[in-house]
Amino acid sequence: MSINVPFQFDLMVFPKMHQNLLNLYSKPPENKENDSSSSEAQQILHLPTINGKYLLFTPFTGPRKRFTATTPGYYYKCMGDVSLIRRTCEENGLREHKSEWRILWGNKNMRSNVYTGLARWQKINHFPRSFEITKKDCLFKNIAKMQALHGIDQFGFIPETYVLPNETYALEQQMLEDPGVMWIIKPSAKSQGKGIYLTNKPAELPSGQSYVACRYIDNPLLINELKFDLRIYVAVTSLDPLRIYIYKEGLVRFATEKYRRGQIDNRFVHLTNYSVNKFSPNFVSVDQDGQGHKWTLTALREYFKSHNQDFSLIWSKIKDIVVKTIISNESKNYASMKMFVPYRQNCFELLGFDILIDDSYTPWLLEVNLSPSLNTDSPLDLRIKGKLIADLFNLVGIPAKQKNAKKSKPVRKPAWNSSTISANTQFELSQEEIYVLKETNNELQRLGDFERIFPSELSFVYMPYFEEERTMNLLVCGELDKAKRQPTRSAEKAFLGNVYRQRLKPLTRERKNKPNSAAYLNQAERYLRQQVFRPSMLNPI
C-alpha cells in the first residue's frame, strides 16, 4: 500500500493538521482485496524531526519493520552502495530523489559540474580535490612539501616514502645500501589492503605502475602479541574558515596472527585491514568490546589505563597529525572550491585516518581514506558507525524547509569570497563575517561525540603552516585584530614540548623509528627537483 500526501509544505509547522493527516493516511483502505493487516505490511507517515533550522537525525540501530511514506520535500541521493547512509536517511524521514535532494553522498570524487549547480540548502560529502590527501602518492608529496618548508620536526609523522615509478632508481639504491630494511609497497589509489606486499629486493619492485614504497615500521606496539592500527574518523565542515572535528570513538583493528619480523609473505601477520583479516581462520568477531580482533577506542583507552599508561598524550599527537595533514592540502582544496562551489556551506567531508602506534608510543600516519568503510558486518560496527553518521549529519546541519523561504537559483560564480589579509584590513565585521561567526559557534551546539580541533585555543601554532592568511581563518581563531602577529618562539616551543617531548611512564625503550634527518632531507630534495612547488617558497617573507 502506498501513501501520497497531496501537500507540499512543512507539516511540522501545523501540528493539528499534521495529526489529522496521520490519522487519515495511516488508516488501511477498506474493501481492498489481498490487503495485509499485519504490522509488517503497515506503512506509516514518518516525518523528519526538525530542531530549529536543521533536521535532527537519530542513529540507525538495526533493521526495523517499518516502511516510510513519501515525505513533504525532504530527499537524499546516494551515488554508490552505501546502505548505512540510505537506512539512516530513510529512518529519519528522507526519501531518495534524483534532483531535489538535500544530502548527496558519494563514494568517489565528484565531477566539477556536480558542484556548479548547487542550491544553498544542498550538501555534498566531498570537497573538490579531496583526493590530494587520500591518494597515497599525493599525500606524501603534500607532506614532503611541508617538511621542506617547515622542517621534519613538525612533519615527521610519516615513514620515509618513495613514489614509484619516478623514484624507482633511488629506492633501488637505498635497498642495496641497506638490505636489512624492509619496505611495504602499496598501490597509490587502492584500498582495503589490495595489492600490498613487503620486500627488500629491488627485483620485486613494480614497474610502470603508480605505487608508493614506505619504510616498514618493524617495531609496532603489540597487544596480545598482535599488531594493530587505529581508524580515526575526522569531519571537515568548512574550508573557509577551516573547521576540523575528530570523532571521540573509533575502531582498533588487529592482525590475526602473532607478530614476527619474518614471514613477510603472511598478510595476516603484517596487515591490519579488516577486509583482509576477516578471511583468516583465526579471526574472532564478538559482541563484547575489548575482545576479538576489532575493538573500539573506548576499549583501547581502558586497556591503556589498566596497564598504567596515559592514552591522552597519544590522542594529542593524533589530533596534531590530523590538523597538519589537512592544512598541507588546504590551498588546493580552497582554490578548487572557490572555482566550482556556489556557496560556502555546500560541502563537508568525512575522512578515515589510519594510525599506527610503535613501541615507543609514537603515532604514525599510514594513509587517509576518502570514503571510509561504512559496512556494518557486526553489532560493534553498527553501534559505532550508526551514531557516527547521525552525529555527522547533525554537526553539518542539514537545512529544514523554512516558511516563506525564497527558492535560490544557481549562480554562475561563487556567492562567497574570502580574500587574503591586506595592509588595509578593516576591523568592522561585515554581515558575512558575522554569519560565519554565528555558524561556527552554532556547530558547537551540535557536536554529539565530535570534538573540534581547529580552530581551538592552540590555533596560533598552526597559522604559519597555511600558504595564505585568510580573513575567515583569522576571524574564527580570534586573531583578526592581530592579523600580522606570528606565534612567539617560547609559546610554540612550550606547545611542542607538551605534544612531542613528554614521555609516557613507565618507558624503558628508546624510539626506534626516529626520523632519519638525512633521509628526510633527501626526499625533500627529490621533491624539489620535481618542481611541484616554487623553490622561492623555501624562504617565505
Side-chain angles (χ1 to χ4, degrees):
M1 178 185 69
S2 63
I3 300 171
N4 293 317
V5 181
F7 301 98
Q8 297 299 320
F9 49 79
D10 193 346
L11 298 179
M12 299 304 293
V13 180
F14 304 92
K16 186 174 181 180
M17 187 177 293
H18 177 202
Q19 186 61 44
N20 292 338
L21 284 172
L22 283 174
N23 296 335
L24 175 62
Y25 285 95
S26 61
K27 291 181 180 178
E30 298 179 0
N31 302 324
K32 194 80 172 180
E33 295 182 0
N34 301 325
D35 181 33
S36 174
S37 59
S38 65
S39 60
E40 295 183 12
Q42 295 277 344
Q43 294 190 2
I44 66 172
L45 182 64
H46 186 203
L47 296 172
T49 304
I50 299 176
N51 182 19
K53 295 182 179 180
Y54 304 102
L55 302 184
L56 180 62
F57 288 81
T58 56
F60 174 74
T61 56
R64 299 177 185 176
K65 296 178 180 180
R66 169 192 291 172
F67 298 88
T68 350
T70 303
T71 57
Y74 291 102
Y75 304 106
Y76 72 94
K77 181 180 179 181
C78 277
M79 299 175 65
D81 185 17
V82 191
S83 60
L84 181 59
I85 300 298
R86 283 191 168 91
R87 292 177 178 181
T88 301
C89 290
E90 294 280 346
E91 285 295 325
N92 285 277
L94 281 73
R95 299 291 282 173
E96 193 159 11
H97 196 277
K98 292 184 178 180
S99 59
E100 296 298 323
W101 45 265
R102 292 181 177 267
I103 307 171
L104 172 59
W105 190 281
N107 284 337
K108 299 179 180 179
N109 274 290
M110 308 291 181
R111 294 184 178 181
S112 58
N113 63 322
V114 177
Y115 296 101
T116 53
L118 292 175
R120 185 183 296 274
W121 40 269
Q122 292 181 307
K123 302 275 189 179
I124 294 184
N125 73 314
H126 292 307
F127 291 98
R129 294 190 71 178
S130 293
F131 65 86
E132 289 283 353
I133 61 170
T134 57
K135 281 191 64 181
K136 299 176 184 66
D137 53 347
C138 296
L139 171 65
F140 166 71
K141 290 176 182 178
N142 284 319
I143 300 300
K145 176 190 70 175
M146 302 303 279
Q147 289 174 351
L149 290 171
H150 304 287
I152 61 172
D153 289 340
Q154 307 303 322
F155 287 85
F157 48 77
I158 61 172
E160 182 183 358
T161 304
Y162 290 82
V163 178
L164 310 180
N166 293 342
E167 298 175 345
T168 300
Y169 177 76
L171 177 58
E172 290 174 347
Q173 297 302 310
Q174 183 68 25
M175 286 181 166
L176 294 175
E177 292 177 6
D178 196 349
V181 174
M182 195 65 61
W183 298 85
I184 183 166
I185 314 300
K186 306 177 184 180
S188 296
K190 291 185 178 180
S191 58
Q192 299 180 337
K194 297 175 183 176
I196 297 179
Y197 64 96
L198 274 67
T199 186
N200 59 351
K201 300 177 181 178
E204 295 180 355
L205 295 178
S207 59
Q209 302 180 53
S210 180
Y211 276 76
V212 295
C214 303
R215 181 184 288 262
Y216 185 65
I217 300 174
D218 61 358
N219 62 323
L221 183 65
L222 305 178
I223 295 180
N224 301 327
E225 299 186 75
L226 298 176
K227 181 180 176 181
F228 68 93
D229 74 352
L230 312 181
R231 167 57 60 84
I232 306 298
Y233 297 104
V234 175
V236 182
T237 61
S238 171
L239 279 180
D240 185 38
L242 182 62
R243 293 196 294 264
I244 308 172
Y245 298 83
I246 192 169
Y247 204 58
K248 297 177 183 178
E249 193 59 279
L251 295 174
V252 184
R253 307 173 302 179
F254 288 86
T256 48
E257 295 192 16
K258 293 183 179 180
Y259 179 75
R260 298 290 183 270
R261 294 192 180 183
Q263 302 180 345
I264 64 174
D265 295 329
N266 191 338
R267 292 162 63 85
F268 300 138
V269 171
H270 299 283
L271 300 186
T272 58
N273 306 71
Y274 168 73
S275 56
V276 172
N277 284 282
K278 67 181 180 181
F279 297 109
S280 169
N282 299 327
F283 182 78
V284 177
S285 177
V286 295
D287 295 344
Q288 185 174 354
D289 198 7
Q291 298 184 9
H293 292 99
K294 184 182 286 189
W295 295 4
T296 65
L297 281 182
T298 299
L300 183 66
R301 290 186 177 97
E302 291 298 324
Y303 177 87
F304 270 71
K305 184 178 180 180
S306 65
H307 288 75
N308 299 317
Q309 299 292 346
D310 183 11
F311 187 75
S312 60
L313 179 59
I314 296 177
W315 190 243
S316 296
K317 294 178 181 179
I318 291 173
K319 291 190 287 188
D320 183 65
I321 289 173
V322 168
V323 174
K324 289 178 176 177
T325 302
I326 293 175
I327 289 178
S328 71
N329 190 51
E330 183 268 349
S331 61
K332 297 177 183 178
N333 281 145
Y334 175 83
S336 298
M337 184 168 176
K338 192 169 182 179
M339 182 179 298
F340 299 116
V341 182
Y343 300 99
R344 191 192 307 274
Q345 66 273 26
N346 278 140
C347 301
F348 66 96
E349 194 82 57
L350 178 66
L351 299 169
F353 279 67
D354 290 345
I355 302 291
L356 178 72
I357 304 173
D358 67 18
D359 59 6
S360 62
Y361 299 93
T362 301
W364 294 85
L365 176 63
L366 301 181
E367 61 183 65
V368 182
N369 295 273
L370 178 67
S371 296
S373 171
L374 296 178
N375 292 334
T376 53
D377 297 340
S378 68
L380 184 145
D381 283 314
L382 181 60
R383 186 171 72 250
I384 299 301
K385 298 175 184 178
K387 191 172 190 309
L388 166 69
I389 294 303
D391 285 348
L392 175 67
F393 287 161
N394 290 331
L395 174 66
V396 169
I398 308 302
K401 295 177 67 177
Q402 302 297 320
K403 291 180 61 178
N404 302 323
K406 296 181 179 180
K407 187 176 180 180
S408 61
K409 298 180 180 180
V411 293
R412 293 185 178 180
K413 295 182 179 181
W416 57 278
N417 182 45
S418 179
S419 59
T420 55
I421 295 297
S422 65
N424 297 321
T425 300
Q426 299 297 322
F427 299 120
E428 294 183 2
L429 297 182
S430 66
Q431 289 297 321
E432 186 178 16
E433 290 169 338
I434 293 173
Y435 172 80
V436 167
L437 285 175
K438 289 181 178 179
E439 181 184 60
T440 303
N441 183 64
N442 288 340
E443 281 186 356
L444 293 177
Q445 314 305 317
R446 309 190 300 268
L447 284 175
D449 283 342
F450 278 100
E451 174 189 357
R452 192 169 76 186
I453 56 178
F454 190 90
S456 69
E457 66 277 5
L458 299 174
S459 297
F460 70 91
V461 176
Y462 299 103
M463 299 310 289
Y465 303 142
F466 287 88
E467 282 193 19
E468 296 179 288
E469 291 182 336
R470 307 195 197 284
T471 305
M472 294 302 179
N473 282 337
L474 295 174
L475 176 68
V476 298
C477 294
E479 299 275 332
L480 187 60
D481 58 339
K482 302 175 183 178
K484 295 299 183 183
R485 183 178 69 83
Q486 297 292 331
T488 62
R489 176 66 62 179
S490 59
E492 185 174 5
K493 183 178 180 181
F495 170 74
L496 295 177
N498 290 332
V499 173
Y500 287 105
R501 297 191 176 93
Q502 288 184 14
R503 308 288 277 181
L504 290 173
K505 302 298 182 180
L507 269 183
T508 57
R509 301 175 211 163
E510 290 296 322
R511 177 178 173 182
K512 297 181 180 180
N513 289 313
K514 185 176 181 180
N516 184 294
S517 298
Y520 274 91
L521 287 176
N522 287 337
Q523 70 185 29
E525 290 174 2
R526 287 188 276 110
Y527 183 82
L528 283 173
R529 290 194 201 103
Q530 297 172 8
Q531 295 182 353
V532 179
F533 70 101
R534 299 186 305 276
S536 60
M537 293 173 61
L538 289 175
N539 299 307
I541 298 176

